[in-house]
Amino acid sequence: MVQKVAKHTPIKNKDSGQYITAVLLCFFLGGWSAHNIFLKKWSFVIPQLICKLITIAFLIMAIIFTCNGHRIITDQGELYEFPTWPWILWGISFIAFHIWVLVDFIILCCGKFKDTNGNYVCYQ
């Protein structure tokens, strides 16, 4: 005899205060994964914080490389050459990371974001 297993169907969370707090945290502190920390979605917190730290590391590297530009002496005088690849690397990581946060914000505003229990966080 085969037993039917009840599927967990997500329900809408009735706590509109949780929804408003999560939306504001995502908008203002989404880069630091504050909305996922608030909703206790730990499987998203760690990767987002690692991506944020990588982006900051690329920014620091770009600043260091810019400050230590190569000096080239030409007939017209001294010329400083600054490498652009650290800034490109930082720009790509910055844009990619913030697209992730923007997608989280849009999903949260649409009411399709789930909390730890699998329930939708939405405004009632």
Side-chain angles (χ1 to χ4, degrees), residues 1-122:
M1 183 169 173
V2 177
Q3 233 180 0
K4 289 188 177 180
V5 178
K7 224 178 176 184
H8 174 70
T9 55
I11 57 171
K12 293 190 176 196
N13 197 339
K14 302 289 185 196
D15 189 6
S16 61
Q18 182 183 21
Y19 169 78
I20 293 169
T21 305
V23 168
L24 290 174
L25 284 172
C26 186
F27 185 77
F28 290 109
L29 297 171
W32 293 101
S33 195
H35 58 293
N36 286 323
I37 293 171
F38 176 71
L39 295 172
K40 296 177 181 68
K41 292 184 75 171
W42 304 113
S43 59
F44 289 97
V45 171
I46 302 301
Q48 279 189 333
L49 288 179
I50 289 171
C51 288
K52 182 68 169 185
L53 292 176
I54 289 171
T55 303
I56 291 171
F58 285 153
L59 176 63
I60 292 169
M61 183 177 69
I63 291 170
I64 289 171
F65 273 92
T66 300
C67 292
N68 297 329
H70 300 97
R71 187 172 68 164
I72 300 170
I73 300 174
T74 62
D75 294 337
Q76 291 84 19
E78 291 185 19
L79 177 69
Y80 285 92
E81 182 182 83
F82 302 107
T84 56
W85 65 268
W87 290 105
I88 292 171
L89 197 60
W90 171 75
I92 290 170
S93 66
F94 182 82
I95 290 169
F97 175 69
H98 284 88
I99 286 174
W100 184 3
V101 174
L102 180 65
V103 168
D104 271 0
F105 181 72
I106 291 170
I107 292 171
L108 191 57
C109 287
C110 292
K112 299 296 181 185
F113 203 82
K114 294 181 182 179
D115 63 4
T116 307
N117 301 325
N119 299 326
Y120 289 110
V121 179
C122 58

